[in-house]
Amino acid sequence: MVPIMSKAPSSKPSIIKAGATAALLLAHTGATAMALSMASPSSRPIDPHPRPDPPPAAPHERASSFSFGVIADVQWADADDGTNYAKTVRRRYRGAFRTLGAAVDHWRARSLSPLPSDRPLFVAQLGDLVDGLNARLGESDLALDRALRELDRAPCPAVNLVGNHELYNFDRAELARASWLRRGDREFYSFRPHEGWRVVVLDPYQIALIGHAEEDPRRLEAVALLAERNPNVSPDGADGGDWFDGMERGSPDRRFVPYNGGFGKEQLDWFAEEVTKAAEAEERVIVMSHVIIHPKACGGSTMAWDYEKALDIIHSINQNGNDAPDADQDGVVVAVLCGHDHSGNYHQDEMGVHHCTFSSPLNKGTDGKAFGMIKVTPDGMEIRGPKADDLLPNVPRR
């Protein structure tokens, strides 16, 4: 089959405001209609909490659209407000938990929409559900259980990503036994939430100092890489000293620190196969990763160690469609959704891929609304929320 073609962005996204709700429109072109499939992407046990029955669908419903919830870096702990490591940003630990509850209430309310495409099929929980502070407090299991209970109230399954704070609280052996993850040790996989669409979930800590057993080859690869790229970092990843000593501000080498990680060859080979299969099946792809894949979608130091290789895979599969007959069609990969950088950011790259980095509820606690919904249509992705700027900041070019 002919792969879906890609093209550079031709117009800027726009903000549509209606009352207290804002929606960010991320346009793509040339999509074809797809049949509705409401199959659940998760194998998690059935939600023990009662969920309201949605009203019947409106007769004019467009079966080619679907929605899902999104939240990133809840990072909650039962602790007084604190700060980041540099002591420059306040962290509202309990407020973040209450924001998670407000997010679940929002998704439950959206599940009552008369339009099936407005009801969330799943929740993209983009990692760092609990803060590393819980490990120091001896409350890792308790904090995780409370957060998962909140997510269990949602009207749909959660797709939970692995972030660095999961690995501060639990090692890979523990995550491999976790029922709230798919695999835990190698948490990369794909699923089809809707006909014509594939979601690819990446694990950016396959090569990492954190989470792995001391002699795990993936950890040893990380030790060797950091020794070469950033000798300021101790092989055990311990705090102390200046990890950025001698590095220019804005240098991409600043990403070689313990709170980031790499995808690794095994996962990147798999990723390339997945997007190729999607192209052959005439599917479009949404990528999810806790750590960021484009340097312009963050402050410049929270990218995956091997982000260039991941970007090359995305751009290659999109570029491969340029000789197809219909030059108005988009690329295979249309969006990359991330967390990790609490301030959030947005960038549309030269291949038209939307890189969305969602803000953390830690920033504002109950004073903010860093959560929302993403509606995927044949023409674009619409990011909706009670306050869209709290979820995705209003940066230039958004």
Side-chain angles (χ1 to χ4, degrees), residues 59-99:
H60 61 278
E61 167 64 357
R62 293 177 67 185
S64 54
S65 303
F66 68 98
S67 297
F68 59 93
V70 63
I71 194 167
D73 296 82
V74 175
Q75 234 174 280
W76 100 278
D78 190 6
D80 295 337
D81 290 354
T83 64
N84 62 347
Y85 295 114
K87 301 188 184 303
T88 57
V89 179
R90 188 178 178 187
R91 289 183 169 177
R92 295 164 171 83
Y93 295 113
R94 295 190 182 103
F97 181 79
R98 289 191 284 271
T99 302

Side-chain angles (χ1 to χ4, degrees), residues 146-227:
R146 288 187 62 183
L148 291 177
R149 285 178 180 272
E150 277 300 298
L151 282 174
D152 278 343
R153 293 196 303 110
C156 54
V159 177
N160 297 301
L161 274 61
V162 170
N164 49 310
H165 282 262
E166 275 76 29
L167 298 171
Y168 298 152
N169 284 280
F170 308 100
D171 61 30
R172 285 287 181 171
E174 292 171 304
L175 294 183
R177 299 189 295 270
S179 61
W180 53 281
L181 295 173
R182 297 293 185 91
R183 296 173 178 85
D185 186 45
R186 286 173 166 80
E187 192 66 7
F188 52 94
Y189 56 90
S190 70
F191 64 91
R192 296 175 178 84
H194 190 283
E195 186 176 343
W197 287 87
R198 185 180 303 218
V199 173
V200 174
V201 175
L202 298 179
D203 183 342
Y205 293 98
Q206 279 300 293
I207 310 302
L209 290 184
I210 53 178
H212 297 306
E214 187 173 353
E215 297 303 317
D216 190 302
R218 295 169 293 181
R219 182 185 177 278
L220 296 178
E221 183 176 341
V223 169
L225 178 63
L226 290 184

Side-chain angles (χ1 to χ4, degrees), residues 96-318:
F97 181 79
R98 289 191 284 271
T99 302
L100 175 62
V104 172
D105 292 340
H106 178 74
W107 299 323
R108 287 174 67 90
R110 296 310 304 161
S111 73
L112 298 175
S113 171
L115 299 181
S117 65
D118 283 348
R119 306 171 198 160
L121 290 182
F122 63 93
V123 170
Q125 190 278 107
L126 296 173
D128 282 3
L129 184 59
V130 295
D131 195 86
L133 176 60
N134 289 292
R136 298 193 292 274
L137 296 175
E139 296 183 352
S140 297
D141 290 326
L142 179 61
L144 176 65
D145 181 67
R146 288 187 62 183
L148 291 177
R149 285 178 180 272
E150 277 300 298
L151 282 174
D152 278 343
R153 293 196 303 110
C156 54
V159 177
N160 297 301
L161 274 61
V162 170
N164 49 310
H165 282 262
E166 275 76 29
L167 298 171
Y168 298 152
N169 284 280
F170 308 100
D171 61 30
R172 285 287 181 171
E174 292 171 304
L175 294 183
R177 299 189 295 270
S179 61
W180 53 281
L181 295 173
R182 297 293 185 91
R183 296 173 178 85
D185 186 45
R186 286 173 166 80
E187 192 66 7
F188 52 94
Y189 56 90
S190 70
F191 64 91
R192 296 175 178 84
H194 190 283
E195 186 176 343
W197 287 87
R198 185 180 303 218
V199 173
V200 174
V201 175
L202 298 179
D203 183 342
Y205 293 98
Q206 279 300 293
I207 310 302
L209 290 184
I210 53 178
H212 297 306
E214 187 173 353
E215 297 303 317
D216 190 302
R218 295 169 293 181
R219 182 185 177 278
L220 296 178
E221 183 176 341
V223 169
L225 178 63
L226 290 184
E228 175 187 352
R229 301 302 296 265
N230 188 356
N232 297 318
V233 175
S234 168
D236 62 5
D239 293 335
D242 183 359
W243 288 339
F244 304 113
D245 184 40
M247 294 186 182
E248 294 183 8
R249 184 171 295 277
S251 168
D253 280 350
R254 292 170 72 92
R255 73 186 187 275
F256 291 103
V257 289
Y259 54 74
N260 296 327
F263 300 111
K265 185 179 186 304
E266 176 190 0
Q267 183 174 192
L268 290 171
D269 287 347
W270 170 86
F271 182 35
E273 292 176 1
E274 280 295 306
V275 295
T276 299
K277 290 176 183 176
E280 292 170 349
E282 297 185 334
E283 295 173 338
R284 309 172 95 177
V285 174
I286 297 170
V287 176
M288 297 180 183
S289 168
H290 178 70
V291 179
I292 295 148
I293 294 179
H294 201 294
K296 292 185 178 180
C298 63
S301 63
T302 48
M303 304 87 71
W305 294 339
D306 47 2
Y307 78 87
E308 302 106 322
K309 294 179 180 178
L311 264 183
D312 284 347
I313 291 169
I314 292 170
H315 290 172
S316 177
I317 196 64
N318 283 9

